[in-house]
Amino acid sequence: MATYDQLPQARVVRSHGQYLTPPPAPPPEPGMLAQQLRGALALALGLWPLTAALLLMVGLFVLVGRFGSP
């Protein structure tokens, strides 16, 4: 069915008898550097409990070595 509307059909969608614009395009993919930085930040935030536990353990070993002997 050919229509002679003034609206360009590539940019306008007809839904339920009304003309609507299509949804916006998704944002572009981040670059390689941004992906690497985001991954490093996620790793650092995800492993902070393990890092804190290891630092506590090392600190306790140092204290036992320093103050444990007579």
Side-chain angles (χ1 to χ4, degrees), residues 45-59:
L45 290 177
L47 291 179
W48 75 265
L50 177 62
T51 305
L54 288 175
L55 287 175
L56 177 66
M57 184 176 68
V58 168

Side-chain angles (χ1 to χ4, degrees), residues 9 13 16-17 23 36 43 54 56 58 60 65:
Q9 294 300 313
V13 177
H16 300 288
Q36 293 293 329
L43 184 68
L54 288 175
L56 177 66
V58 168
L60 290 175

